[in-house]
Amino acid sequence: MRLFTPIDLGTMRLANRVVVPAMVTRLAGEDGRVTDELRARYLRFAKGRPGLIVIEAMSVHGGKSGPLLRLSSDEFIADQAELVRRMKEIAPALKVVPQIIHFLKIARSGWRQKPGDLSKEEIRAVVRQYGEAAERAGRCGYDGVELHMAHAYTVSSFLSRLNQRPDEYGRSLENRMRLMTEILIEVRARVGPDFPVGVRYDGEECIKNGYTLSDSKIIAVRIAQLGAAWISISAGGKFEDAVKKPGVPIYPYTGYSGDRCMPPASYPDGANLYLAEGIKAHLVASGYTTPVVATGKIRTPELAEAVLQRGQADLVGMARAMLADPDWVVKVASGRADHLVRCVYGNVCKNLDENFRKVVCYLWPKGALNAPDSPDTSIPSWKTTGALEGRESAGRVHLSWDGAADAEGIYGYEIYRAAGAGTFDHVNSVKGTTYVDRDVVAGVAYRYFVRAYDFAGNRSPRSRELGIALAPAAGGAAGEGT
Amino acid sequence: MRLFTPIDLGTMRLANRVVVPAMVTRLAGEDGRVTDELRARYLRFAKGRPGLIVIEAMSVHGGKSGPLLRLSSDEFIADQAELVRRMKEIAPALKVVPQIIHFLKIARSGWRQKPGDLSKEEIRAVVRQYGEAAERAGRCGYDGVELHMAHAYTVSSFLSRLNQRPDEYGRSLENRMRLMTEILIEVRARVGPDFPVGVRYDGEECIKNGYTLSDSKIIAVRIAQLGAAWISISAGGKFEDAVKKPGVPIYPYTGYSGDRCMPPASYPDGANLYLAEGIKAHLVASGYTTPVVATGKIRTPELAEAVLQRGQADLVGMARAMLADPDWVVKVASGRADHLVRCVYGNVCKNLDENFRKVVCYLWPKGALNAPDSPDTSIPSWKTTGALEGRESAGRVHLSWDGAADAEGIYGYEIYRAAGAGTFDHVNSVKGTTYVDRDVVAGVAYRYFVRAYDFAGNRSPRSRELGIALAPAAGGAAGEGT
């Protein structure tokens, strides 16, 4: 698979093209430092041997910001150097970079600082702070650095089409790109030519009057011209359409743009791929080979590989899929894709972040702070032969089954469904032994089976296959409604 | 071109694959009747010989609703029969269908009726009203009927993932589709097998928690199963994210979903094409050949043709492009694409509708209620040889030129721009003799020319070509910002 071939991001050679993008964990200390819990999370990711891990966004500026990492002064270097050293002990070929971020002030009252509120001196400070933090990244032993220019944060807010600052930092596209440009120049000058610098930014803002692919493809060329070693494409995640809750600081992933940033179950796979594809095509047409990372509900090995084969991007980032199963690369590369613990895109992780709680995966065993990691190879067994019953009621299919048993512990149950003569698809995973499928429609014959999986990802045999044929809409509805 | 080959929508054969989708005009009488102005608008469209014209949405239910057409009782038949007859006098091969709509109540206070507010009896009335209006469409002499199931209106609100009605009309996808299903069955039963019935609905709601392609492709199969003769794909246009203005009824095209419904200039061409493409592919995979109409900022003959060649859709709908130039088909088919008056997607038409004013195109001569229609073939001439000056200032390019003269009248000026070694692209049209281009970026050499066009679409020779090379960002920004 092309997924598991090496690629160079500037001077940094990745062993494969799977990236763990920056994900907030809320496991850092309130003082901005690495905690044991945070270190354990990243060591677990390292064990899964992706090509690149981007450590969660850490602030380049001082000031309190809750349990988020910082790289705003030299005091943070030692902890992070230790983190990098230990990750590489586990996976010597792994590359690790931090994502560095500047954000504007927000208040519980709902007030928030906007691009127009910054003095020229404050803008110069942002540029300098990015440069200093990038330099510190090198001193930590990181392999490079990723500049956060996406979502609701400072650089993205300057890039926004809503940035109507009247001076040379607003209104025209050139002016909106000025802060980004100055930061990239400053960072590249500070770290030197051999330290790879990547950029993550939005391919579309996904808000009213926000920028779209028309601007983002031009922004990509600028980023490439300024010597970025990779370009990672996100979408949305803005304050403008966020849902306001009284007395709580606004969270930029609660509106439509938040859905687009982390597409929930209702979205098709690869919902944002057209953005990476459009940007990649424009870079190529403009003569730039800068590698592009595509993200956004890419979950299956088939889709991840297809993205590379089709040339839509050069690398694939998987955040929630890797949180659910950090061993994604190891399992897929060794032909054990059927052992993947598959993210169901229920966004429990996102909701935990929104509520200032430690970010864990709903699919992990209750109370766990990390994905299980077990050498167990024995498979779970069904308590009852032929478990799985079902019935249709009010347009839904209600499934239930007798549980499975496992030497170590049952982790959950995967529900598979096929429509008509189609192939089986994983539609959800649950911890209990019942499931209500609301997404079925009349006139279709469905087939289901269930599999139990244990802490190590071992699967039980399939349950018996259950067929449920729903009556056609035409007959039923005609009799009822007309 | 495949664009100009015939296609069958059920029993209705179109001469070509270009559709004028339903567009509100606000030219109807307050009594819901055809006025002289409204008739003139559609006769003008007919003269342009598209394959199909969908007359603007007309309500199936009684009640006042401003200057919008109605088909809610037999009293409206005579006027519309006359309209159809006169359109076909002009273009005998043209097919004409009305779009019929039911909408829920909205109040100036901000209150609006939602799916959960309707009694079963009221739902049955909606179904019956659609059936009766469809039957009336046949009696008017229309060639078929299109059922409006998109945007902020009744059927779309039932289809919405936000429809949490607790009975058999809400929550599960099957239940959300029930009203749509009942209407299609009722309409098909009333009009008989030979009268083609099409459906227009949203490929994505484009609102938080709204449905996406995951649901809309299943909805398409249901529509096909129920015998629809075509499926026309729109997007967004919802109340949920609309901007509220005190004392004015909420307008469902003012939020992000409104932008997605009528993508403005900042969107790339064909911004919603992935929806039609995904739906078409799923229909084909499910064994249905129902023709699909793609819409959403399709403006150039090249893109329109490519949509068909790639199999993304079977027909192309162009609303704003055809409003700007109803002669699109005639001009492109006769090799005079360079005579097109090109929509600039400034959405002045949308703003007029939003403000309850008659909908006209900004590119038409001032005061005109229709696109000009002139036999003039003489081209405009420049008053000054080599008109076109320009300079760069604060990240923008300021252009100015001496005007052109024409025997009949100058309609406007088209601005063309090429970046680097690229080809010239039409970036905007204006009525005056100056233009500020905010979309240029540093480090790029741009070339511009301007052409004047007259009421008949005749073009002046190109102005002189102006080259403006913008200084590289790196040098400038490095000197300034760091």
Side-chain angles (χ1 to χ4, degrees), chain A residues 174 204 208 212 254 256 266 442, chain B residues 174 204 208 212 254 266 442:
Chain A
E174 180 58 40
E204 185 184 339
K208 178 178 161 70
T212 72
T254 45
Y256 174 82
S266 58
Chain B
E174 180 58 41
E204 185 184 339
K208 177 178 161 71
T212 71
T254 45
S266 57

Side-chain angles (χ1 to χ4, degrees), chain A residues 211-432:
Chain A
Y211 74 69
T212 72
L213 193 52
S214 300
D215 283 355
S216 61
K217 63 188 193 181
I218 295 171
I219 296 171
V221 167
R222 170 64 53 83
I223 294 169
Q225 286 171 334
L226 293 169
W230 71 92
I231 300 178
S232 177
I233 307 302
S234 190
K238 307 298 284 186
F239 280 127
E240 282 77 3
D241 68 348
V243 177
K244 287 157 194 70
K245 282 199 264 181
V248 178
I250 191 167
Y251 179 75
Y253 303 99
T254 45
Y256 174 82
S257 75
D259 272 4
R260 288 291 305 275
C261 188
M262 288 174 262
S266 58
Y267 275 80
D269 285 3
N272 292 329
L273 265 177
Y274 71 97
L275 296 172
E277 181 181 13
I279 286 166
K280 179 70 192 172
H282 188 68
L283 282 168
V284 169
S286 306
Y288 293 94
T289 57
T290 316
V292 169
V293 186
T295 64
K297 208 178 172 189
I298 299 171
R299 63 182 180 104
T300 65
E302 293 75 18
L303 179 59
E305 178 67 12
V307 167
L308 305 185
Q309 296 286 352
R310 293 179 201 141
Q312 294 175 299
D314 305 284
L315 303 102
V316 167
M318 289 181 281
R320 292 167 296 172
M322 298 287 261
L323 187 71
D325 193 342
D327 296 323
W328 199 97
V329 166
V330 170
K331 287 178 179 173
V332 174
S334 63
R336 292 183 299 130
D338 66 332
H339 275 61
L340 287 176
V341 177
R342 299 170 182 218
C343 175
V344 298
Y345 297 92
N347 276 348
V348 170
C349 48
K350 176 176 133 177
N351 290 334
L352 289 167
D353 176 37
E354 181 182 345
N355 290 294
F356 314 105
R357 292 169 60 191
K358 292 174 183 175
V359 175
V360 297
C361 177
Y362 160 81
L363 296 175
W364 298 345
K366 203 172 165 82
L369 270 180
N370 267 309
D373 180 20
S374 161
D376 170 35
T377 56
S378 66
I379 63 170
S381 57
W382 291 108
K383 289 177 191 162
T384 321
T385 314
L388 187 58
E389 299 297 330
R391 64 188 168 81
E392 189 252 327
S393 166
R396 295 152 214 167
V397 169
H398 297 251
L399 299 175
S400 63
W401 56 90
D402 290 325
D406 182 73
E408 198 176 27
I410 292 293
Y411 193 145
Y413 299 89
E414 288 179 343
I415 292 108
Y416 287 81
R417 182 185 64 207
T423 54
F424 278 99
D425 194 24
H426 171 238
V427 292
N428 217 328
S429 293
V430 295
K431 292 187 177 173

